[in-house]
Amino acid sequence: MCTRDHALTDIQSTNLGEMEREWLHLLRLHCISFEHNRADGLDRAIDHAEARYGADDGPAIASRIAVLIRAMRAERRGGFGYLSPFCPNCRRNVTDDECQLLTLMQAGYRGIPHEIEEAAAGVARRAEAPVLTAAAARFGKAVAAALCPGRAPPPVRATLH
């Protein structure tokens, strides 16, 4: 949440577009649920995603972000610094950890397998992160289906095994 324990970057100095800022907000809402073991953040994330992406695609995107966070928690070495989705000061910043996860989400959206694998390994802080790779690829497919219905998403080659 509002912390000085993690390196912060002014969000205006990043290359995050509107789409990535939406993902960041959803990510932060989910992190609250995981940190406090409550469904409030999940409910808010689904509500926000429905408002942004519609009733058909919004819940799918929100759930893919939850799966992505679960995969990260399973494979990441070390903690994860995130900021509050509600604090006006936090909204002006992004942590290095959040940036790293957003890079993985961007790779998933682009759907290029080696980029996804490399970004997942960076987030996990290990040589390979197959669960995180698969979760990012599936997130990318869900977003691509919502934003570009005519675009055929690339096949997901990563598996959970």
Side-chain angles (χ1 to χ4, degrees):
M1 302 285 252
C2 300
T3 180
R4 301 217 185 280
D5 295 340
H6 299 280
L8 302 179
T9 302
D10 177 13
I11 204 160
Q12 297 300 325
S13 67
T14 67
N15 65 346
L16 298 178
E18 181 182 339
M19 179 173 62
E20 289 88 355
R21 289 176 192 220
E22 288 290 333
W23 298 347
L24 177 61
H25 185 68
L26 291 169
L27 169 68
R28 288 174 173 177
L29 288 169
H30 280 298
C31 285
I32 289 171
S33 285
F34 282 102
E35 181 179 359
H36 300 290
N37 199 24
R38 296 177 50 188
D40 301 8
L42 174 62
D43 287 340
R44 287 180 176 185
I46 291 171
D47 288 345
H48 184 82
E50 279 182 329
R52 175 68 174 93
Y53 300 106
D56 290 333
D57 295 317
I61 291 170
S63 71
R64 287 295 173 198
I65 291 174
V67 170
L68 190 65
I69 294 169
R70 287 184 74 231
M72 178 187 67
R73 291 178 58 165
E75 292 189 319
R76 183 178 171 97
R77 294 194 174 122
F80 181 80
Y82 75 96
L83 299 173
S84 170
F86 308 116
C87 171
N89 292 326
C90 291
R91 282 193 217 119
R92 294 192 304 248
N93 294 296
V94 61
T95 69
D96 288 347
D97 290 341
E98 290 171 328
C99 280
Q100 222 178 9
L101 194 55
L102 287 167
T103 297
L104 174 59
M105 294 165 87
Q106 289 170 327
Y109 178 63
R110 283 190 300 276
I112 301 171
H114 75 275
E115 285 183 14
I116 299 169
E117 291 168 1
E118 184 178 306
V123 169
R125 300 176 179 160
R126 54 195 314 170
E128 293 180 338
V131 175
L132 191 53
T133 298
R138 288 184 175 91
F139 165 78
K141 283 180 69 172
V143 172
L147 299 179
C148 311
R151 175 180 138 187
V156 175
R157 289 184 169 72
T159 63
L160 295 176
H161 302 35

